[in-house]
Amino acid sequence: MVAMSAGIDLENVTCDFGPFRAVDAANVSIKPGEFFSFLGPSGCGKTTILRMISGFIEPTAGSIRIGGKDMRGQRPNQRPTALIFQNLALFPLMPIWENIAFGLEVRGVDKATRRKTAEDLLALVDLPDAADKMVSQLSGGQKQRVAIARALAVEPQVMLLDEPLSALDLKLRQHMRAELRAIQKRTGVTFIYITHDQGEALAMSDRVGVMSQGRIQQIADPRDIYNSPINGFVASFVGENNIFTGKVENPSQGMASFSTPHGTFRARLGDVGSGGVQARLYVRPEHTLLMAAPGPENSIPVTVAEVSFEGNFVAVHAVSDSGAKLMAEVRNDGSATLPAVGDRMHMAFDAGRAAILPDAATKG
Amino acid sequence: MRDLIRRYGTGLSTIICLLTAFWLVMLVIVPNMTLFEQSFRPYLPVAEIGGPRDVYSLSNYGKVLEGSVERSLFGIGFTIPVRVLTFTLTIWYSIVVTVICFLLAYPLAYYMAKIANPRALPTLILLLFVPLWVSEVLRAFAWWIILALKGPLNSLLLFIGAIEKPVRWIADYDAVMIGLVYTYVLFMIFPIYNAISSLDRNQIEAAEDLGAPWWRIHWRIVLPHAKPGIASGSVIVFMLSAGSLLVPSVLKSPNSQWFTETINETFNDALDWNTASAYAFLLLILCTLFVTLAMWVFRVKLSDIAK
């Protein structure tokens, strides 16, 4: 089954609920067949974007195009999209196969064909014998698959998924990630995925749009989102950080000095505006090195405050002599000796692994 | 029971149980059993009660088949016992009332449950309840005045030009049905409203997202979900209509007769309690049978209604 897939363009899409601006001038171009995620905390506007694309909410301003066609005034039942709801919204009074074939029934497809299509789709989502069961007889993961099959049945050009894995337990969630990705590759349909779980977004997506307070903060592939966040919000929402507040000095060739009460560090300079401004320095715990002797650059003397053994890594919390709280994640390669609480050590980081970033872009 | 005693103490629990038992036994079971027993005995002068002619028989029930009238339906003439005819018409018009109540109640209940602003809902429900504060007698008479040949309804329709000469509303069973619908429609609205309220809005949106037009969303999603509410509303409205005495007697026309009126006349005019009891139990039994049959046809279970 190869369905047509379509690209989606949002152009200055804005949505107001009374005085509250839920989405503020969103611009994004999603390619046909792409797996695109909107990632952000609850209330950031990501679900509103999804509901605008599916047609349940009209944008206050701006335009949405699907496959190049302007969607203004098109009801959800006229759009080439299929939405998978957070609670799945399966129809509990219909057997599974009627659930899946509902979209075909609406289109006037005859019963034998509907049944055949439903069974084919059940095979696709790996649930071959469920056709005559009722929704209440299925487990969470099976319902998930039925919801996907029901959406695929109408051969949508775009699939919209609203945190569909949030109700599942951890193991199943990780399994379904891979499953969803595989189904997306098999069908070639454009997937737009909404989540507040950074792991989900990074693991599945071709590209991720990180949102906060109605604004799209950064659109990039998962590696760039994690390794080169554009601002402080993206850096701290996606992953952990050691954060220093200070002043930018001597910017040159993308690097700068950063003077803080805990010392002066060298780091990559993000888009913080002209020199001398207040900004923050972000460095990931796994890029923070723990050493017995002072490092060549960006080194801080610390006292180990807490050591927590997490299995595949060890998180070392420490307090610097100047009072800064820092964390370093040390990979557990099986041979390393763990520091003890109270040990005097040094934490350091590469200038290239640390970034001086502005705070989040807010409503303008 | 142990729970009751723990919560209210032995004394209060005893009083609660005794009151409930009194209500059940003295006000429900005993009167009904008395009438039931009477319905099998002949109507006799006081002196002969308990005498040799006072024996149990089904003859009171058989009286429903006496006295035939001629009627024609779809051009086919036939004779039918007059009380069987009354009974059949009572059931038929009660069905019509139930269907009209459903047609009025469903859109309103859907509007209240899924479309109306939740803040406006208390006002809406209050507006629906206000007419219930007036007694049923007054409401029936109010309709009698509204529907009179020279009444306000005809004046209004003449004034806006909807009709050319006054309509005789109180003819056949028309006024009775209007009165019954008005009196009992609320008993249809609230069960349906409750049922639709519990429907997840995402289900409606999911159906729409899959391409369904509004009527198919109702046919496949909302109506099946509301079925228990529709069933209990229908049972209540049907039973109340078939058992109503006041509305059919106030709003009756020369050629409308409700079976409850027949029972009432036999009790109060003929003073034949034995036959009247037999009619009353016939009404009860046949209505129950009819409801059971309807529930079987529409595949509704008793447990659905009790929800």
Side-chain angles (χ1 to χ4, degrees):
Chain A
M1 173 180 310
V2 178
M4 281 240 302
S5 69
I8 293 153
D9 300 294
L10 304 192
E11 212 176 275
N12 281 320
V13 171
T14 299
C15 182
D16 293 334
F17 295 121
F20 175 69
R21 178 151 287 190
V23 175
D24 189 14
N27 281 294
V28 56
S29 205
I30 298 165
K31 296 191 267 293
E34 190 173 16
F35 197 125
F36 190 95
S37 293
F38 285 103
L39 172 66
S42 58
C44 72
K46 57 192 193 300
T47 297
T48 308
I49 285 196
L50 198 76
R51 291 177 66 82
M52 285 193 288
I53 297 172
S54 60
F56 288 108
I57 304 175
E58 274 292 325
T60 315
S63 71
I64 296 171
R65 288 190 303 277
I66 300 179
K69 196 168 153 246
D70 195 333
M71 285 292 128
R72 179 157 290 274
Q74 301 269 299
R75 295 290 306 154
N77 53 17
Q78 299 165 317
R79 298 191 182 202
T81 57
L83 176 58
I84 295 183
F85 290 78
Q86 188 164 10
N87 68 355
L88 306 181
L90 297 176
F91 307 131
L93 300 176
M94 297 180 198
I96 297 304
W97 79 268
E98 282 186 32
N99 259 282
I100 293 172
F102 183 79
L104 302 175
E105 182 189 325
V106 167
R107 285 159 178 74
V109 176
D110 69 273
K111 189 171 170 179
T113 315
R114 289 196 323 249
R115 173 89 198 193
K116 173 85 174 59
T117 312
E119 281 173 358
D120 289 350
L121 282 164
L122 280 169
L124 177 80
V125 297
D126 215 9
L127 263 183
D129 298 322
D132 292 306
K133 288 187 180 159
M134 296 305 280
V135 176
S136 55
Q137 291 170 276
L138 301 188
S139 68
Q142 291 172 324
K143 286 181 190 164
Q144 192 70 58
R145 291 155 202 255
V146 173
I148 294 164
R150 186 178 72 174
L152 285 172
V154 298
E155 299 189 2
Q157 296 173 4
V158 180
M159 281 268 263
L160 307 167
L161 301 97
D162 185 5
E163 306 207 18
L165 304 186
S166 56
L168 305 181
D169 58 59
L170 182 67
K171 266 264 152 14
L172 199 51
R173 205 153 62 216
Q174 282 168 346
H175 176 69
M176 286 306 292
R177 276 185 200 172
E179 196 95 337
L180 270 179
R181 183 73 187 158
I183 290 170
Q184 195 260 340
K185 287 280 164 258
R186 232 175 299 164
T187 57
V189 176
T190 314
F191 269 44
I192 299 182
Y193 193 91
I194 295 289
T195 183
H196 62 263
D197 182 327
Q198 44 146 325
E200 261 173 34
L202 298 182
M204 288 194 286
S205 318
D206 295 317
R207 281 192 301 160
V208 178
V210 181
M211 290 191 70
S212 165
Q213 303 196 330
R215 300 274 300 215
I216 298 180
Q217 305 285 342
Q218 183 174 10
I219 297 172
D221 67 48
R223 283 182 52 160
D224 285 346
I225 290 283
Y226 192 83
N227 290 335
S228 320
I230 200 168
N231 60 35
F233 174 80
V234 177
S236 31
F237 190 73
V238 184
E240 301 287 326
N241 296 279
N242 292 312
I243 303 173
F244 297 95
T245 308
K247 238 174 160 163
V248 180
E249 283 164 1
N250 314 321
S252 73
Q253 295 174 342
M255 302 294 284
S257 291
F258 195 70
S259 74
T260 76
H262 315 289
T264 301
F265 307 117
R266 293 275 304 164
R268 283 187 293 122
L269 182 61
D271 184 13
V272 294
S274 48
V277 294
Q278 287 280 335
R280 287 192 177 88
L281 184 149
Y282 296 83
V283 58
R284 303 278 185 206
E286 68 269 28
H287 296 159
T288 305
L289 310 167
L290 191 66
M291 299 180 294
E297 60 172 352
N298 298 338
S299 186
I300 313 159
V302 296
T303 308
V304 174
E306 190 191 333
V307 178
S308 64
F309 182 75
E310 305 273 352
N312 55 341
F313 69 92
V314 182
V316 180
H317 299 261
V319 181
S320 76
D321 296 349
S322 52
K325 285 186 176 141
L326 299 170
M327 177 168 77
E329 279 177 17
V330 183
R331 264 194 64 79
N332 175 20
D333 57 6
S335 63
T337 49
L338 300 182
V341 172
D343 280 3
R344 296 282 301 159
M345 306 206 57
H346 296 267
M347 280 190 177
F349 51 88
D350 278 0
R353 293 279 171 83
I356 304 162
L357 300 173
D359 290 343
T362 48
K363 295 165 200 190
Chain B
M1 190 67 203
R2 209 173 291 152
D3 216 40
L4 194 73
I5 292 172
R6 200 179 55 229
R7 193 170 294 177
Y8 298 111
T10 324
L12 199 54
S13 300
T14 314
I15 293 174
I16 292 172
C17 290
L18 280 178
L19 282 176
T20 314
F22 175 81
W23 184 73
L24 260 179
V25 173
M26 295 311 288
L27 303 182
V28 180
I29 297 175
V30 169
N32 272 296
M33 288 315 290
T34 313
L35 287 181
F36 190 65
E37 194 259 353
Q38 276 190 13
S39 70
F40 294 102
R41 285 159 49 184
Y43 178 40
L44 295 169
V46 178
E48 288 190 47
I49 292 176
R53 288 178 58 203
D54 198 354
V55 288
Y56 289 125
S57 75
L58 285 171
S59 68
N60 289 332
Y61 289 84
K63 282 185 197 162
V64 85
L65 298 173
E66 287 169 7
S68 290
V69 286
E70 301 228 354
R71 280 289 183 277
S72 72
L73 190 65
F74 306 124
I76 306 160
F78 56 94
T79 59
I80 183 168
V82 62
R83 294 187 189 88
V84 174
L85 176 70
T86 304
F87 183 81
T88 314
L89 288 175
T90 301
I91 296 290
W92 165 246
Y93 284 113
S94 297
I95 295 171
V96 175
V97 166
T98 309
V99 170
I100 294 174
C101 279
F102 167 70
L103 294 178
L104 291 174
Y106 179 77
L108 191 61
Y110 182 78
Y111 175 82
M112 282 167 37
K114 289 288 167 241
I115 300 173
N117 184 339
R119 271 180 300 175
L121 207 57
T123 320
L124 257 174
I125 292 178
L126 187 71
L127 282 176
L128 287 173
F129 264 118
V130 164
L132 273 193
W133 296 351
V134 180
S135 103
E136 200 179 323
V137 188
L138 280 180
R139 280 181 288 154
F141 273 110
W143 272 109
W144 190 71
I145 294 167
I146 292 169
L147 297 174
L149 193 62
K150 293 187 175 174
L153 181 62
N154 275 332
S155 307
L156 180 74
L157 291 176
L158 283 170
F159 178 74
I160 61 169
I163 53 174
E164 283 176 9
K165 58 184 172 76
V167 176
R168 193 171 286 280
W169 295 105
I170 306 181
D172 291 331
Y173 285 85
D174 298 354
V176 176
M177 279 196 294
I178 292 172
L180 288 174
V181 167
Y182 179 74
T183 312
Y184 298 129
V185 72
L186 281 188
F187 293 95
M188 186 70 94
I189 290 177
F190 283 99
I192 301 183
Y193 165 74
N194 275 337
I196 297 180
S197 296
S198 67
L199 176 64
D200 176 11
R201 191 184 299 273
N202 284 350
Q203 301 237 334
I204 300 173
E205 291 189 343
E208 190 183 359
D209 189 61
L210 290 168
W214 66 269
W215 58 268
R216 196 186 287 271
I217 296 174
H218 280 277
W219 182 244
R220 291 288 270 145
I221 311 294
V222 187
L223 269 173
H225 181 85
K227 198 163 98 171
I230 295 168
S232 59
S234 300
V235 170
I236 297 170
V237 170
F238 174 80
M239 285 302 233
L240 287 176
S241 296
S244 175
L245 175 62
L246 193 130
V247 174
S249 17
V250 172
L251 289 170
K252 72 162 147 200
S253 74
N255 45 6
S256 78
Q257 173 82 1
W258 214 246
F259 196 70
T260 50
E261 291 180 274
T262 305
I263 299 173
N264 185 43
E265 283 153 16
T266 318
F267 265 118
N268 287 334
D269 303 342
L271 292 175
D272 181 354
W273 280 43
N274 306 77
T275 311
S277 305
Y279 289 175
F281 278 101
L282 269 181
L283 181 68
L284 176 66
I285 292 161
L286 290 174
C287 282
T288 310
L289 280 179
F290 178 79
V291 167
T292 314
L293 185 73
M295 280 168 54
W296 180 71
V297 168
F298 289 104
R299 295 182 191 176
V300 181
K301 287 191 221 83
L302 203 59
S303 54
D304 292 338
I305 292 180
K307 267 182 203 163

